[in-house]
Amino acid sequence: MQLKMKFHLLSLVLLQKVLLGLCSEEEWDMEPDESLSSDTEDLNFPSIPSDEHHERKRSARSTVVDDNSFIIDREYNKEHPPPVIAKGTPVKFAVLIFSVRGINEIEQEVTVEMRLQIWWLDSRLSNWKTHISPGKKYVSITHDISRNIWHPDIFIDYVKEIKQPQLLGSPPQSLRLYQTGFFRISTRVTIRMACPMAFHYYPVDKQECNIDMKSYAHTHDILALQWDHGSNNLSLLKPGMDLPNFELGLAAPINPVVETNSENYYSSIRFTVLLKRKLSYHFIQTYIPSSLFVVISWLSFLVPPESVPGRMAICMTTLLSVATMFSGIRQSIPKVSYIKALDIWMVACIVFVFLTLFEYAAILKLRSLIPNEEAKQKLKARKGSEASEKGNTRNNSESQPDAPPIYNKYADSVRIAEKYSWMVCIILFVIFNCVYWPWLLASAGYYDKHGEDLFYKTK
């Protein structure tokens, strides 16, 4: 009976504290009264989780350490780089490309979305490694602490804009401290940068956009930028990443050392975005239609020379169509001062169509020089009468045959031109193709074996 009264009394006290909001987690974990211990040891009460239990669960899920746990020496200066080790403090990089978009050939720029990871060693904060729990590889550091430590002064050449995707106000960025003493910052950025392009062999061209990351203030003997030795130091999120007009590839050449005008050498890291244009678009949209217009112009050879309106209409229509196509194509391709391979093709097609028009104009001119049938008869009669008068004055002279008309050579020229001109045009166009395509593909190196493994083939 006494045990029941004490139990009810304890229940009422706890209920009152809960209702009044005075019961904390520490009170839920308070030790039971000694007077009740002997009487309640046989009762099975449900266990209530304590603060220590919650803390163990939180630490198992996350390795973020409170800001107060990290102590920065008063002599630490975040503006100064770490002490030099050997040939400079190593700063390692790893890049994962998510997408390459916004390839603007008119402005000659490209947009790359990537995850950038940078490692560096700061021996001045070696005491922080004690915060890493046994069995853990790293500990995450908050942004407040990150603002108080030194970061490499890295910048990107030819960059126009850098953005970070944000959802709730904070940028996607993390800072970790590893057991080896290296700090690693990981962030996701979208950069829009200038990419100088060459269009000599357009549309069978390959572009290389170099992304150079350098140290602005520290020379190569203070900071040594290099790729991480892991296998994924430079990679695509999807090796079969498909772009509308390009095949995409990546290359990481040997880290160059940049010399400035002040005769100082700065370490840098470079990776190259390789873009090989797909020929299928221009082959279907430009090369095949322009070739068909040239073939249509040859149909004018089937129209008799006497049918001036019909033959002239075919020649003029195809010539204007090819010229209009060339003008439209020039509006959508980069405007450069030099001649492109596509310009050579379109000008050649215009020339071949113009040849059919020129050939018909020449025939009309030759035909105009041939006298009509009535004039030829008059000329023949006059020559015959002159020959008869001369024959009367000669004794036993044989009559001489009439001389052929002097203008028969123009008729022969018209007949020969009509017979062989279409053959000449076709042969010249075939020869032009046999020269143009091997020269273009070989000069552009479109199918070169060298460097082919750098390109990820689209599927």
Side-chain angles (χ1 to χ4, degrees):
M1 188 68 179
Q2 184 179 4
L3 178 60
K4 284 186 178 183
M5 291 180 63
K6 290 183 178 182
F7 179 78
H8 288 302
L9 181 60
L10 178 61
S11 301
L12 291 174
V13 172
L14 293 177
L15 180 61
Q16 183 179 6
K17 288 185 177 182
V18 170
L19 294 176
L20 295 176
L22 301 177
C23 183
S24 62
E25 291 184 1
E26 288 79 9
E27 292 171 335
W28 279 101
D29 197 38
M30 64 182 179
E31 293 293 331
D33 188 83
E34 294 180 358
S35 59
L36 297 177
S37 61
S38 59
D39 298 327
T40 59
E41 59 182 357
D42 295 332
L43 298 178
N44 295 323
F45 291 101
S47 59
I48 302 174
S50 62
D51 283 346
E52 183 180 358
H53 177 73
H54 286 298
E55 185 63 29
R56 285 197 302 267
K57 293 183 66 177
R58 283 194 297 268
S59 62
R61 292 193 303 266
S62 175
T63 57
V64 178
V65 182
D66 189 7
D67 295 357
N68 298 326
S69 302
F70 294 95
I71 300 176
I72 300 179
D73 195 344
R74 293 182 179 180
E75 298 180 357
Y76 184 88
N77 190 343
K78 67 177 182 179
E79 305 297 334
H80 293 171
V84 177
I85 301 176
K87 296 182 180 180
T89 301
V91 180
K92 301 181 179 182
F93 289 79
V95 174
L96 175 63
I97 303 297
F98 288 96
S99 65
V100 178
R101 60 180 188 274
I103 302 175
N104 191 333
E105 297 165 319
I106 306 298
E107 299 294 334
Q108 295 194 21
E109 63 182 25
V110 64
T111 302
V112 180
E113 184 181 3
M114 63 182 180
R115 184 189 69 190
L116 177 62
Q117 294 181 337
I118 306 175
W119 288 265
W120 71 91
L121 180 63
D122 195 340
S123 58
R124 298 171 295 179
L125 302 175
S126 58
N127 60 319
W128 285 13
K129 293 188 293 184
T130 59
H131 297 294
I132 303 178
S133 304
K136 303 285 186 180
K137 292 183 179 180
Y138 62 87
V139 60
S140 297
I141 299 176
T142 62
H143 294 285
D144 294 334
I145 299 178
S146 176
R147 287 193 292 266
N148 295 322
I149 65 175
W150 176 85
H151 292 74
D153 56 336
I154 306 299
F155 74 100
I156 303 177
D157 268 349
Y158 304 111
V159 68
K160 293 185 175 180
E161 185 181 15
I162 298 180
K163 291 183 178 180
Q164 285 187 300
Q166 298 183 10
L167 182 60
L168 300 177
S170 59
Q173 179 176 318
S174 67
L175 182 66
R176 293 177 179 178
L177 172 63
Y178 285 81
Q179 287 183 347
T180 56
F182 275 91
F183 286 89
R184 191 222 66 181
I185 186 170
S186 178
T187 184
R188 184 164 179 171
V189 295
T190 300
I191 61 173
R192 182 171 62 90
M193 58 174 297
C195 177
M197 300 181 181
F199 300 101
H200 294 88
Y201 303 110
Y202 182 92
V204 188
D205 57 329
K206 296 192 292 187
Q207 307 296 339
E208 296 183 359
C209 301
N210 295 322
I211 301 179
D212 296 330
M213 292 176 282
K214 308 174 183 177
S215 174
Y216 186 81
H218 305 296
T219 57
H220 72 288
D221 55 348
I222 297 177
L223 289 184
L225 277 60
Q226 56 190 252
W227 286 107
D228 182 41
H229 297 298
S231 59
N232 295 325
N233 51 15
L234 178 63
S235 59
L236 288 169
L237 181 64
K238 296 180 180 179
M241 188 181 297
D242 189 15
L243 298 179
N245 295 321
F246 293 92
E247 292 181 3
L248 177 63
L250 295 175
I254 299 175
N255 304 335
V257 177
V258 181
E259 181 182 3
T260 62
N261 295 332
S262 60
E263 297 182 354
N264 291 324
Y265 294 88
Y266 293 85
S267 179
S268 67
I269 196 80
R270 168 182 289 183
F271 69 93
T272 304
V273 177
L274 304 172
L275 301 172
K276 184 167 73 172
R277 193 181 306 276
K278 297 179 181 178
L279 184 58
S280 57
Y281 173 79
H282 282 282
F283 192 77
I284 297 174
Q285 299 292 329
T286 304
Y287 286 103
I288 292 180
S290 58
S291 300
L292 290 177
F293 279 123
V294 174
V295 174
I296 291 174
S297 69
W298 296 340
L299 298 179
S300 63
F301 295 124
L302 302 178
V303 180
E306 296 80 8
S307 180
V308 177
R311 189 158 179 174
M312 188 64 71
I314 295 176
C315 295
M316 290 301 300
T317 302
T318 53
L319 180 62
L320 293 176
S321 299
V322 175
T324 303
M325 175 184 289
F326 188 27
S327 177
I329 292 173
R330 290 180 63 87
Q331 298 297 325
S332 60
I333 61 179
K335 296 177 175 60
V336 292
S337 59
Y338 48 82
I339 299 176
K340 300 179 290 294
L342 187 61
D343 297 337
I344 297 175
W345 173 268
M346 293 304 301
V347 170
C349 290
I350 293 176
V351 169
F352 279 109
V353 175
F354 178 76
L355 283 178
T356 61
L357 181 62
F358 179 79
E359 183 267 349
Y360 185 55
I363 287 179
L364 291 179
K365 180 62 178 177
L366 293 175
R367 287 174 60 85
S368 67
L369 298 176
I370 300 175
N372 55 32
E373 188 67 21
E374 183 180 357
K376 288 195 296 182
Q377 293 297 332
K378 290 180 179 179
L379 180 62
K380 185 175 181 180
R382 186 170 62 250
K383 288 185 176 182
S385 61
E386 293 176 354
S388 62
E389 292 176 357
K390 292 180 180 179
N392 294 331
T393 59
R394 297 178 180 179
N395 296 323
N396 300 326
S397 61
E398 297 178 358
S399 60
Q400 300 293 328
D402 295 336
I406 59 175
Y407 297 108
N408 279 353
K409 61 180 181 180
Y410 296 115
D412 294 338
S413 299
V414 171
R415 186 176 62 256
I416 293 173
E418 282 293 299
K419 184 177 182 180
Y420 296 106
S421 58
W422 66 274
M423 297 182 185
V424 174
C425 289
I426 294 176
I427 293 174
L428 289 178
F429 189 70
V430 172
I431 293 175
F432 169 73
N433 278 270
C434 293
V435 174
Y436 175 83
W437 287 107
W439 163 80
L440 179 60
L441 297 177
S443 300
Y446 194 75
Y447 293 109
D448 283 353
K449 297 295 183 180
H450 177 67
E452 194 70 18
D453 55 340
L454 299 178
F455 287 95
Y456 293 96
K457 293 297 185 182
T458 56
K459 297 180 180 179

